Amino acid sequence: MTPFDYPYDCDTILQKKRRLRRELLAQEGLIPKKIAILSGSTIGEVKNVLELFLLHHGIAPEFYEGEYARYYENAVFDDGSLRAFAPDIIYVHTTVKNLMGLPCPADTDVQAEEKLAAETLRWQSFWDACLSMDAIVIQNNFEFPNVRVMGSFEASDRRGAVRFVRRINEALAQYAQAHRGFFIHDINYLAAELGLDRWFSPSMWYAYQYAMDLSAIPPLCAGISNIIKSIYGKNKKSIACDLDNTLWGGVIGDDGVQGIQLGEETPSGRAFIALQHYLKLLSQTGVLLNVNSKNEAEIAKGGFSRPESVLHEEDFVCFFANWQPKHENLAQMASQLNLLPESFVFLDDNPAEREIVRRHLPNTAVPELTTPETYVQTLARSGYFEVTALSEDDKKRSDMYRQNAQRAQAQASFGDYQEYLKSLEMKAFIAPFDVQHAPRITQLMNKTNQFNLTTRRYTDAETADCMNDENTLTLYASLSDRFGDNGIVSALIGKVNGGVLTIEEWVMSCRVFKRDLELAVFDALVSYCRAHRIDTIEGDYIPTAKNAYVRTLYPSLGFSQEKETEEGVHYQFTVPKKSEPLCSVIDVTTNLS
């Protein structure tokens, strides 16, 4: 556990931030990002602590600090410095203290409505200005005021500040829904979670103009960093879950199916049902559920036959119930799913098992589970699976991985791998990026780490720019077979300059590894180049801790190595006037003009 794991060690973070910063900066593979903070209050400690949480997630921020309490002027009347900084992210650190024209008891209903309309319009002009910078924008919503003049009447009356805040937050939510690249950091929820008396400190406000107590800054920064790491593909993807005393109470091998605690009869039984319900909902966002239990497999599966059980055997992609060390099971599980162990969260009630997994798989997240009634809260507040986009592919991800398991079973009956691939009856569709699929394509480029030659990340605006640039080739590929549809699983961006096409981005989802789709994509690329009199294809391989899988991709496709630098290897391919397709096992349809 680190100070940055929930529950956060706020004292250590605030008191030892310099030492923590030195240690975190020593990590390899940090992703640099430019972050502008526009604020309506003092941000010194906010910036310092936010840097620590981002470094913890592998992101090295360079900050631009707007002028104190001039967030609106910094964006709407930019003097050129903000745009020159070219931020990747603009974080707007405002609170209820920055709402202007709050209604008062003396107002008429008409005056209260006019104040709301004026304030909404002011914020919308500010948000438009921020988005014009071609940056991702993260905006705090507004917490309720810590003092109510009219008591509970404020929740319903137009002149109440509480209702005013609720309606401004709704306007903010509607704006976020209508504008891609605009995200809400929900401090209204955070203030409620901590309690307004813990959230807001009158002494810190009057003395230093901090809009929250110092102790609230680490949770605030944790929330912001969770959004940022999710945008850049650093979420966890999968859960490896123990069973006994984790998903139900008791030991099923000793107590039997009817003896385990699960259901409404006992307090702990209700707590285990709550965790199962939470995991079920989590799987609908694309998180993969797996079992990692020391148990006899058939006995373990019996626990899910209980009518009270929310989860069932088919909800799990991998079911490892055996007597092997759990860290070995988890590593095998990761290999089977084509994921890295660091993509996993390991849930286990046993502190000894948690410590063993931490020691052997240090990048796997292992939350501290104490009592069953706190399991859901611990997992939910840890931010492992922060959602910033929810696509149809996300909702179907578990089904797609289960279909992969069926494919693996089918493979076992073939001695020749190429014959197995032909038996899948695969069909691919390859086409340029389009507006309909742009959100999924951007998500794929930001989340993919193993089949990613350069690990560049793209915002929605950058993806749109590529689509609209006549000197840029974009293509995506979807793949289906007799077991199911994998959706969009590959994307490529190439810049054309004269007779040379330079591959700037090429990614492919790990769930379609070793199916020759990369050959089909390259065949389509070569055909495009030949049709457009492009003689040379260039590309770089920039190694990271995660993309060794594609280290030999370019040589395997016939590229020659041109030069090697500290950053990576540059390759070149001469487009032949005629050539046979490299892929012979996929029926490919293209729409590349």
Side-chain angles (χ1 to χ4, degrees), residues 13-15 17 37 42-53 65 93 204 210 212-215 217-218 220-221:
I13 291 171
L14 291 168
Q15 295 170 14
K17 53 184 176 290
I37 304 179
T42 303
I43 60 165
E45 289 289 31
V46 173
K47 186 198 77 171
N48 294 336
V49 175
L50 178 58
E51 180 181 28
L52 297 181
F53 273 95
E65 294 182 57
H93 180 64
M204 291 300 297
Y210 272 105
M212 69 280 301
D213 188 73
L214 285 181
S215 66
I217 290 177
L220 171 91
C221 294

Side-chain angles (χ1 to χ4, degrees), residues 92-159:
V92 184
H93 180 64
T94 47
T95 68
V96 70
K97 294 296 184 184
N98 302 116
L99 289 179
M100 299 173 63
L102 285 168
C104 60
D107 287 337
T108 65
D109 283 353
V110 171
Q111 288 171 326
E113 289 297 316
E114 288 175 346
K115 286 182 175 181
L116 177 68
E119 185 67 352
T120 301
L121 186 61
R122 184 177 77 91
W123 281 103
Q124 287 175 344
S125 65
F126 169 73
W127 300 329
D128 289 344
C130 288
L131 284 177
S132 74
M133 303 287 174
D134 291 332
I136 291 166
V137 179
I138 301 173
Q139 159 86 49
N140 289 344
N141 61 5
F142 303 98
E143 79 278 29
F144 291 131
N146 69 314
V147 172
R148 298 177 301 177
V149 174
M150 299 187 291
S152 293
F153 190 57
E154 292 212 2
S156 59
D157 193 82
R158 286 185 174 89
R159 295 161 294 186

Side-chain angles (χ1 to χ4, degrees), residues 243-438:
L243 298 178
D244 294 333
N245 292 311
T246 301
L247 286 189
W248 53 65
V251 179
I252 195 169
D254 296 335
D255 302 327
V257 172
Q258 297 307 315
I260 59 175
Q261 300 170 39
L262 193 65
E264 296 299 320
E265 290 78 12
T266 64
S268 61
R270 289 193 285 270
F272 291 118
I273 284 294
L275 177 61
Q276 289 198 20
H277 181 69
Y278 178 78
L279 293 176
K280 184 87 168 185
L281 293 176
L282 201 58
S283 71
Q284 294 173 16
T285 70
V287 176
L288 307 178
L289 304 183
N290 308 277
V291 166
N292 187 357
S293 172
K294 286 185 175 177
N295 243 311
E296 295 293 339
E298 291 308 310
I299 294 175
K301 292 175 182 178
F304 298 106
S305 67
R306 283 274 295 264
E308 304 93 334
S309 184
V310 176
L311 293 173
H312 303 285
E313 184 183 343
E314 59 268 22
D315 288 310
F316 299 96
V317 180
C318 295
F319 204 105
F320 281 51
N322 54 40
W323 300 103
Q324 300 303 311
K326 291 187 178 181
H327 67 277
E328 293 182 6
N329 276 345
L330 199 151
Q332 185 178 346
M333 192 181 295
S335 176
Q336 185 171 315
L337 295 173
N338 283 328
L339 296 174
L340 299 171
E342 66 190 57
S343 298
F344 280 78
V345 175
F346 175 64
L347 297 184
D348 199 305
D349 69 293
N350 189 323
E353 295 286 6
R354 294 198 298 267
E355 191 56 36
I356 291 170
V357 170
R358 286 189 188 115
R359 188 180 308 124
H360 287 275
L361 301 171
N363 293 322
T364 296
V366 186
E368 200 65 17
L369 300 185
T370 53
T371 57
E373 59 268 22
T374 64
Y375 287 176
V376 172
Q377 176 178 313
T378 297
L379 185 56
R381 294 184 180 176
S382 293
Y384 299 126
F385 308 106
E386 184 83 21
V387 175
T388 48
L390 188 59
S391 67
E392 290 303 313
D393 275 8
D394 293 325
K395 299 174 186 177
K396 298 184 293 185
R397 184 167 288 113
S398 291
D399 289 337
M400 293 173 178
Y401 275 90
R402 275 189 287 274
Q403 291 161 7
N404 269 355
Q406 293 176 305
R407 295 179 184 99
Q409 291 175 359
Q411 180 186 342
S413 63
F414 285 86
D416 184 281
Y417 189 70
Q418 287 298 109
E419 289 302 314
Y420 156 69
L421 290 179
K422 291 177 182 177
S423 77
L424 293 178
E425 301 171 10
M426 291 183 285
K427 295 181 180 181
F429 179 69
I430 301 175
F433 293 2
D434 56 35
V435 173
Q436 177 186 356
H437 298 107

